[in-house]
Amino acid sequence: MGQIPQRFLDDLLARTDVVEVVGERVQLKKSGQNYSGLCPFHQEKTPSFTVSLDKQFYHCFGCGAHGNALRFLMEYDNLHFPEAVEQLAARQGLEVPREGANDPQAKARERKRQEGVNLLELANRFFRSRLKMPEAAQARGYLEKRGLAPEIQKDFAIGYAPREWEALKRHLGEQGVSDAVQIEYGLLVHHEDSGRCYDRFRDRVIFPIRDFKGRTLGFGGRVLGDAKPKYLNSPETPVFHKRRELYGLYEARQADRHLERLLVVEGYMDVVALAQFGIRNACATLGTATSEEHLQRLFRLVSEVVFCFDGDRAGRQAASRALETVLPSMIDGRQVRFLFLPEGEDPDSLVRREGADAFRDRVTCASPLSEFLFEEAGQGRDLARIEDRERYASQVLKALQRLPEGVLKAMLLGELSRRTGVEQSRFQALLSEANSRQASRETSSARGAQHGDLLQEDASADYARPGSSGTETTLSRVNPRRATSRQSSSLGLMARALQLLVHEPSLVARLPEDNDWCSPDEPDGALCGEVIELLRAGRYRSPQALLAHFHGSEQGQRLAELARREVLIARQDRGNELEALVDHFRQRRSRQPPEIEYAQLLAKEKAGQRLNFAEKQRLGELLLTLNR
C-alpha cells in the first residue's frame, strides 16, 4: 500500500477540530480562548493541559506533550500513523488515498505484511484451542497447580503447543501460509543440514506477547518436561523486537486504564501469578536487560516504576545495570524504586506464601533510586577512611553525570555533600569539569579543524568580566568561542546564547535592554531576537511553553534541537556565560566598519522594524562619520 499524500493530510487536519477529538477522551473546561484539563499523558492533580482552538494543537506544561489531532490519537489511543489517519478520515467520511496504490511491488509488500500479522493471530488461536484438548492434560495440570483461574488464563490468552514436530506447521499450511513466512515470523525452525522445517514451540505452555492494541507479536513458551531451555521466546521478526516489548503491559492497561505505577519482574509466570492475586500492574522484560526503549514505554504510561530483583548477587548486578540505564530518563516528576526479594524467592512464590497485601507492602517500601544509588556506591567501602570516601564520592558523581539537570540532581548532590562533608559547590564544579572533558573528547576532531579560527578569535576577543563576588569567574576569563567549542563545537556563539535562553527563559532578565548585539545577520540571530521579545513580554516562562509557540515551524525545529542538547555549564554560571557572550558580540560589532553597521540599521528600519532611541542616535552618528 502506497504513502498517504501530504496534501490529503493537510486537508484532513484543516477539517478536524482538535478540541472535539481531545474532548471525547479528556474532560475539558473553557479557559479564556483555550480549553484546559488534566493531562492524559502523566499523573497530575492540577490541570496543566491546554488545547488551543485557534492554533489547533494541545500542549501540557507539565510533561511537555504537544501536537495536533493526529498526534493526539497516536499517543492516546496508541495508534500507528496510518491507523490514526484512517480514524480521523472516517470522522469526516473521507477515504484515505494512497500514492502508488496500483504499484504491483507495493501491493506485494502490503500483502506480505498483512500475511504476517494474520499468521500470528492464527497461531495464537491454534495454541489456545489445543489447550482444551486431551493432549494438553499435563499443561492444564501445570496451570492448575500454579493456581491460575480460568479467568486469568483467558485474560492472558494462555495456550498450549502440542508435542508433535509439525502440528502448527500443518495447521497453518492448510490455511495457505507458506513455510517461508512461518520461518520469517519465528514459528518454524529451519534445520540447515537436513533442510527440514519443524515447529519452534513443542510441548510448552504458550504465553502470547501482545502489543498495545492486543495484537499478537510473538510467543513465549514454558517447557513441561526436562527439555532446555526452560523458557523459549520468539526470535526477532519484522514485528517482534525484544528490546522494545514488555510482556503483560497490554493486560495491565486492560485491567486499569489509569495506572500510576508499574512493577517490572523477570518472567511470564511472575506476571500471571501476581495477576491471579489481584496485582494487575506487573510486566516483564523478555529475556533481556531493561532498555531505553522499555523505559520510554513505561514512563509514557506511569510516573513510577518499581524494578523487582532476586536478593542474590546476580539480582544486585542486574539492579546495577538497570540503574545505569534508567539514570538518563530521570527527569523531575519520575520515580524509580528497587525491590529485592528474600533469597530463593521470586514474585510467584512470594505472593503465594505471604499474600497480596504483604507483597504490596514490599513494593510500597522498595528502595528509592537515591537510596539504592548511595548504597551501591558504599558496598565494601569503609567511609571512615578518606580513600574509600573518595572512591565512594567519585562513583556517585559518575552516576549523577548521567542524570538530567533538575531538582533530583540538585538534591542528590546536596545529600552527597552531607554524607561526605565536601561542599556541594565543589561537587558541582567537578561535574562541570567532567562534562567539559567528555564534550572535548567527543569533539576533538572537529576542534582540530577549527584550530586556526580559534587562534584568530583569541587574538581579538579575550576579555574579562568581574564575577558577582568581586572576583573573575572561570567562564569570564575564557574566550567565549573557545568555551563554546569545549561545550559543543557544532554550536555557534549565537546558538549558544539562544540555547541558554531556551533552557532557562528567566535568564532574559540578565540581558541589556538594547538588543543591538543580537544581529539578524548572525546565524540564529533573528530567531534569538524574536525569542527575547517573547520572553520580555512575559508570556513564556517555561521552555515547554516557548517551544509550543513555535510548534510546527522551522524555528520550532531549531529550538527543539537546542532544547534537546544538554547545557554543559553549571546552572549558577549560566547567567555569567550569557552576559559574556553578549559582551563578545558587542565588542565584535564595535570593530565593524561603520558602513556595515550603518547598512544593518538602515535595513532594519526599511524592513518596518522600529529603531529604539539608542539605535536612532547611533544611526545619526554613523551618518556624520560617513559624510566626513
Side-chain angles (χ1 to χ4, degrees):
M1 190 172 292
Q3 292 185 343
I4 303 171
Q6 184 61 46
R7 61 183 181 277
F8 175 80
L9 294 175
D10 294 339
D11 179 57
L12 180 61
L13 288 173
R15 292 169 179 250
T16 302
D17 182 1
V18 68
V19 176
E20 183 179 322
V21 173
V22 175
E24 292 173 356
R25 296 160 175 81
V26 179
Q27 186 174 352
L28 299 175
K29 291 184 179 180
K30 193 79 166 67
S31 178
Q33 294 182 342
N34 299 325
Y35 293 80
S36 65
L38 295 176
C39 179
F41 302 114
H42 80 288
Q43 301 295 322
E44 63 176 3
K45 297 180 180 179
T46 304
S48 62
F49 182 77
T50 298
V51 185
S52 171
L53 181 63
D54 180 38
K55 296 183 178 180
Q56 283 294 304
F57 75 86
Y58 64 91
H59 179 77
C60 177
F61 294 90
C63 68
H66 65 274
N68 54 27
L70 190 58
R71 177 68 175 268
F72 182 83
L73 282 182
M74 293 171 65
E75 294 291 330
Y76 187 86
D77 289 351
N78 289 313
L79 300 177
H80 291 299
F81 175 75
E83 297 166 336
V85 174
E86 293 281 359
Q87 192 171 129
L88 277 188
R91 296 170 62 95
Q92 304 296 331
L94 300 174
E95 183 177 344
V96 179
R98 300 279 181 168
E99 294 177 341
N102 296 323
D103 181 1
Q105 291 184 345
K107 286 185 176 181
R109 286 194 299 270
E110 174 59 20
R111 187 167 55 249
K112 185 173 181 297
R113 186 194 69 81
Q114 193 60 47
E115 188 179 27
V117 172
N118 293 338
L119 162 67
L120 293 167
E121 290 300 332
L122 285 172
N124 189 20
R125 288 197 290 270
F126 171 80
F127 291 138
R128 293 186 67 184
S129 68
R130 299 304 285 257
L131 183 63
K132 302 173 184 177
M133 296 184 177
E135 63 187 345
Q138 185 181 1
R140 291 195 299 273
Y142 169 79
L143 295 173
E144 184 178 345
K145 182 181 178 182
R146 303 300 292 259
L148 298 183
E151 295 79 15
I152 292 296
Q153 296 181 37
K154 181 180 178 181
D155 286 350
F156 285 86
I158 296 174
Y160 170 69
R163 187 189 299 269
E164 302 172 56
W165 284 83
E166 297 183 355
L168 178 62
K169 173 188 174 182
R170 189 165 53 250
H171 173 77
L172 294 176
E174 292 171 356
Q175 307 292 319
V177 182
S178 68
D179 288 359
V181 173
Q182 294 185 52
I183 292 171
E184 183 178 10
Y185 284 85
L187 298 177
L188 294 185
V189 175
H190 177 254
H191 195 282
E192 292 185 2
D193 292 339
S194 65
R196 180 186 173 191
C197 296
Y198 51 85
D199 292 353
R200 179 179 298 274
F201 299 99
R202 301 183 310 281
D203 196 25
R204 291 177 182 266
V205 174
I206 296 296
F207 301 86
I209 301 159
R210 300 189 277 190
D211 68 4
F212 49 79
K213 293 187 69 177
R215 297 172 299 192
T216 304
L217 301 179
F219 300 96
R222 203 279 186 191
V223 74
L224 292 173
D226 297 325
K228 300 293 182 182
K230 184 177 180 181
Y231 286 97
L232 179 66
N233 287 324
S234 290
E236 294 286 310
T237 73
V239 296
F240 179 60
H241 308 285
K242 295 177 184 178
R243 289 183 60 81
R244 298 181 194 170
E245 304 304 331
L246 291 152
Y247 176 75
L249 199 56
Y250 166 75
E251 290 79 5
R253 292 198 70 205
Q254 290 297 108
D256 184 359
R257 292 288 295 181
H258 301 286
L259 289 168
E260 295 184 0
R261 171 194 291 160
L262 279 167
L263 178 65
V264 181
V265 294
E266 187 175 351
Y268 316 114
M269 281 307 304
D270 293 329
V271 174
V272 178
L274 289 172
Q276 177 66 51
F277 281 79
I279 300 173
R280 300 299 302 264
N281 63 333
C283 59
T285 56
L286 301 168
T288 66
T290 305
S291 68
E292 292 183 9
E293 291 92 336
H294 290 146
L295 291 169
Q296 290 173 5
R297 184 158 292 184
L298 290 167
F299 282 127
R300 184 175 295 177
L301 297 176
V302 297
S303 58
E304 182 181 357
V305 175
V306 180
F307 292 103
C308 184
F309 296 101
D310 295 341
D312 56 14
R313 182 177 178 182
R316 302 289 300 196
Q317 290 175 343
S320 296
R321 291 193 296 269
L323 176 65
E324 284 291 308
T325 304
V326 80
L327 284 171
S329 301
M330 292 303 295
I331 62 175
D332 290 342
R334 292 177 177 177
Q335 187 173 9
V336 165
R337 293 178 180 271
F338 295 85
L339 171 61
F340 294 98
L341 304 182
E343 193 164 349
E345 300 277 10
D346 57 30
D348 182 8
S349 63
L350 193 61
V351 73
R352 296 178 193 282
R353 185 168 64 81
E354 291 187 345
D357 289 340
F359 191 88
R360 288 192 183 96
D361 289 342
R362 285 183 179 272
V363 173
T364 302
C365 298
S367 300
L369 178 146
S370 55
E371 183 178 314
F372 179 59
L373 172 63
F374 287 114
E375 183 183 333
E376 273 291 285
Q379 285 287 328
R381 290 183 175 132
D382 180 5
L383 299 187
R385 298 178 57 211
I386 291 178
E387 291 82 356
D388 280 10
R389 200 155 68 244
E390 178 273 323
R391 294 187 183 94
Y392 168 80
S394 295
Q395 183 170 330
V396 173
L397 282 176
K398 185 178 179 181
L400 295 189
Q401 194 176 350
R402 297 172 57 82
L403 265 181
E405 294 294 335
V407 176
L408 176 62
K409 188 171 187 175
M411 294 183 71
L412 288 174
L413 278 171
E415 179 63 16
L416 179 61
S417 174
R418 187 188 69 78
R419 294 187 182 213
T420 60
V422 178
E423 291 184 4
Q424 183 173 344
S425 59
R426 179 56 186 151
F427 284 137
Q428 289 171 331
L430 289 171
L431 274 181
S432 295
E433 291 172 11
N435 286 332
S436 295
R437 286 196 301 270
Q438 181 178 347
S440 296
R441 286 193 297 269
E442 292 173 353
T443 61
S444 59
S445 60
R447 286 205 316 274
Q450 298 172 346
H451 180 66
D453 187 37
L454 296 180
L455 290 177
Q456 185 176 358
E457 287 286 333
D458 287 347
S460 59
D462 282 327
Y463 61 90
R465 164 174 286 278
S468 57
S469 63
T471 61
E472 290 183 355
T473 66
T474 302
L475 288 169
S476 68
R477 284 184 276 110
V478 178
N479 178 322
R481 177 63 175 269
R482 184 183 290 156
T484 302
S485 175
R486 276 203 311 270
Q487 303 299 334
S488 180
S489 67
S490 60
L491 286 185
L493 290 185
M494 188 64 71
R496 187 64 184 162
L498 184 55
Q499 185 197 31
L500 290 169
L501 290 170
V502 170
H503 278 264
E504 292 193 47
S506 60
L507 289 178
V508 72
R510 302 285 293 265
L511 296 176
E513 293 184 7
D514 190 348
N515 284 353
D516 60 347
W517 62 275
C518 195
S519 171
D521 294 332
E522 291 278 350
D524 293 309
L527 179 56
C528 190
E530 189 174 353
V531 166
I532 291 169
E533 292 301 323
L534 286 169
L535 295 179
R536 281 184 174 149
R539 295 174 57 198
Y540 303 100
R541 309 311 295 171
S542 73
Q544 292 88 352
L546 182 64
L547 293 174
H549 175 87
F550 290 94
H551 177 71
S553 65
E554 290 185 10
Q555 296 98 320
Q557 293 177 0
R558 176 59 171 162
L559 293 177
E561 177 191 343
L562 294 174
R564 285 192 297 267
R565 300 175 71 108
E566 184 179 2
V567 180
L568 303 178
I569 295 177
R571 190 175 296 275
Q572 70 271 15
D573 293 330
R574 294 177 185 176
N576 290 337
E577 169 79 352
L578 184 58
E579 289 180 352
L581 288 167
V582 172
D583 276 1
H584 170 73
F585 281 114
R586 283 186 153 177
Q587 290 183 25
R588 195 166 75 180
R589 181 181 175 183
S590 68
R591 296 191 298 270
Q592 282 184 339
E595 294 85 356
I596 295 178
E597 190 178 355
Y598 176 77
Q600 289 175 348
L601 289 171
L602 202 60
K604 182 178 180 181
E605 190 175 41
K606 288 180 178 179
Q609 301 179 46
R610 296 181 60 182
L611 301 182
N612 58 35
F613 177 77
E615 288 174 325
K616 290 179 179 178
Q617 189 176 32
R618 179 60 178 162
L619 187 61
E621 293 172 356
L622 290 169
L623 184 60
L624 289 174
T625 301
L626 293 172
N627 287 334
R628 285 175 184 168

